[in-house]
Amino acid sequence: MDANIVTKTGTPPQKIEAEANWFQQVPRQIKKYIPQLISHGHEAGQPYYQLEYLPLSPLNELFVHGRNSVSFWEYAFDLIEDFFIDAASVTPDEAVVRDAARKLYADKTRQRLRMFTDAEGLASDRPLRYAGEELPPLQEICEDCLRKTLDLPCAPGILHGDLCLSNILIDLRSDNIKVIDPRGLDNDGRQTIYGDQKYDLAKLAHSCIGLYDFIISGYYRLESANPYDYALHFVPDERLLAVQAKFWNKRFLPQCAVADILPLTVLLFFSMLPLHSDDHTKQQALFANALRLYRTHVRNSG
């Protein structure tokens, strides 16, 4: 960051190019939700883009470390709902979006799970246990979540692609949110600003119901008798439980409720496992959390 300008670069280069393209291509309905794109291009052979720096709080910091009231979070969820509504006002080809979503949900998850099980030496056909309760094998859990996700109606629109709390900044003065770090790629590596909005809602639930940011911050206790037997403990206070209840009952998309996308949220936890191989304890906690969500919210649904 320099002179109130944030410059982002990195690898793989197509990721940076796709993010820059997303900021450049989103329609006017979405422009109010993003920092100003100042420039983008290549320097010394590396892609980059520049955004205005916004001195605003990311919602994950407030969710984990803040003591904001339940009414504050109702307000924040209302602002996020406005983003979903405006993102849905642009309607791409539903057949194209549905096909891309199927590849993202099914192909990506299966590939990432194979990476995880191969690295850990886990048998995907062996039954699992969570908190003393027997669960199906990993392969069956994955396929059950995929079936329930693919049975849901498509929600075509502008897709951020990584709408977790850490990528949402809140501006109390302007009654608005700003989103950063979009995905901008489909599962085939093509640049796009469109997609199935259920993915964004699942990412949001990944934070609010799945408590991903609590795991990243180390606020959990993991029990593991062996690689097939887990229990994960959080210590949510009454305020946080009330915030989660407000999120749970919020209708962000007309096509489905928050409860409907919990199978996809479980898949998101599975698909991110190889990305956390640098910290084996947190990786195990994320795996255990997927089992927790499946047992609590998905197994007996649908």
Side-chain angles (χ1 to χ4, degrees):
M1 187 182 77
D2 182 53
N4 292 323
I5 295 175
V6 177
T7 301
K8 184 171 181 179
T9 186
T11 56
Q14 59 266 31
K15 181 179 184 297
I16 301 300
E17 292 169 343
E19 291 182 24
N21 179 72
W22 191 92
F23 281 113
Q24 185 181 29
Q25 296 297 328
V26 290
R28 59 178 180 80
Q29 296 95 318
I30 304 302
K31 293 292 187 183
K32 66 181 179 180
Y33 298 108
I34 63 175
Q36 180 182 357
L37 177 66
I38 295 173
S39 70
H40 64 97
H42 289 75
E43 189 171 280
Q46 294 295 318
Y48 77 93
Y49 67 90
Q50 293 183 319
L51 301 174
E52 63 172 325
Y53 170 70
L54 299 174
L56 304 173
S57 298
L59 286 179
N60 68 310
E61 295 291 337
L62 301 180
F63 192 65
V64 176
H65 305 291
R67 299 293 299 173
N68 302 74
S69 66
V70 175
S71 61
F72 166 86
W73 283 102
E74 284 188 279
Y75 164 74
F77 295 151
D78 285 344
L79 296 180
I80 296 171
E81 180 187 20
D82 291 339
F83 172 79
F84 274 102
I85 291 171
D86 285 337
S89 67
V90 179
T91 53
D93 187 305
E94 184 171 334
V96 173
V97 168
R98 187 185 301 110
D99 182 63
R102 182 192 58 78
K103 292 179 180 179
L104 180 61
Y105 303 154
D107 297 352
K108 178 182 176 182
T109 304
R110 289 170 179 149
Q111 178 188 30
R112 291 278 184 84
L113 266 183
R114 281 195 299 270
M115 293 170 62
F116 172 70
T117 55
D118 288 350
E120 294 293 304
L122 295 178
S124 60
D125 58 353
R126 177 173 168 176
L128 298 163
R129 291 180 66 84
Y130 181 84
E133 180 179 339
E134 187 164 315
L135 294 179
L138 180 57
Q139 182 177 352
E140 289 185 26
I141 292 175
C142 178
E143 294 305 315
D144 185 30
C145 289
L146 278 172
R147 177 183 60 79
K148 290 172 178 175
T149 296
L150 295 175
D151 282 347
L152 295 173
C154 187
I158 303 296
L159 185 73
H160 177 276
D162 196 11
L163 198 67
C164 49
L165 291 182
S166 59
N167 288 336
I168 305 173
L169 314 178
I170 189 162
D171 189 344
L172 300 177
R173 288 183 178 271
S174 67
D175 280 341
N176 197 16
I177 58 167
K178 301 286 186 178
V179 298
I180 57 174
D181 289 351
R183 177 177 169 86
L185 290 169
D186 65 15
N187 202 53
D188 292 324
R190 295 185 293 254
Q191 292 184 2
T192 181
I193 64 172
Y194 303 115
D196 182 5
Q197 286 188 292
K198 294 197 305 294
Y199 191 82
D200 275 348
L201 182 55
K203 273 285 185 178
L204 199 57
H206 182 264
S207 290
C208 295
I209 303 299
L211 299 177
Y212 168 79
D213 303 295
F214 278 77
I215 294 176
I216 296 304
S217 298
Y219 294 139
Y220 65 90
R221 180 169 60 86
L222 175 68
E223 297 177 13
S224 177
N226 60 64
Y228 301 91
D229 189 346
Y230 293 90
L232 188 66
H233 304 278
F234 300 99
V235 188
D237 57 20
E238 291 185 5
R239 183 195 61 87
L240 178 58
L241 292 174
V243 171
Q244 287 185 304
K246 293 295 182 183
F247 178 82
W248 191 267
N249 293 316
K250 185 74 174 173
R251 191 80 180 199
F252 293 94
L253 295 176
Q255 294 91 342
C256 61
V258 168
D260 297 327
I261 54 86
L262 262 294
L264 179 51
T265 301
V266 171
L267 296 178
L268 292 181
F269 273 100
F270 284 152
S271 67
M272 69 169 45
L273 290 171
L275 307 182
H276 290 271
S277 59
D278 60 324
D279 189 327
H280 193 247
T281 300
K282 282 184 180 174
Q283 187 184 49
Q284 286 185 309
L286 293 168
F287 182 57
N289 203 34
L291 301 183
R292 176 184 72 89
L293 292 171
Y294 180 77
R295 186 198 69 162
T296 306
H297 300 296
V298 179
R299 185 178 189 179
N300 298 318
S301 67

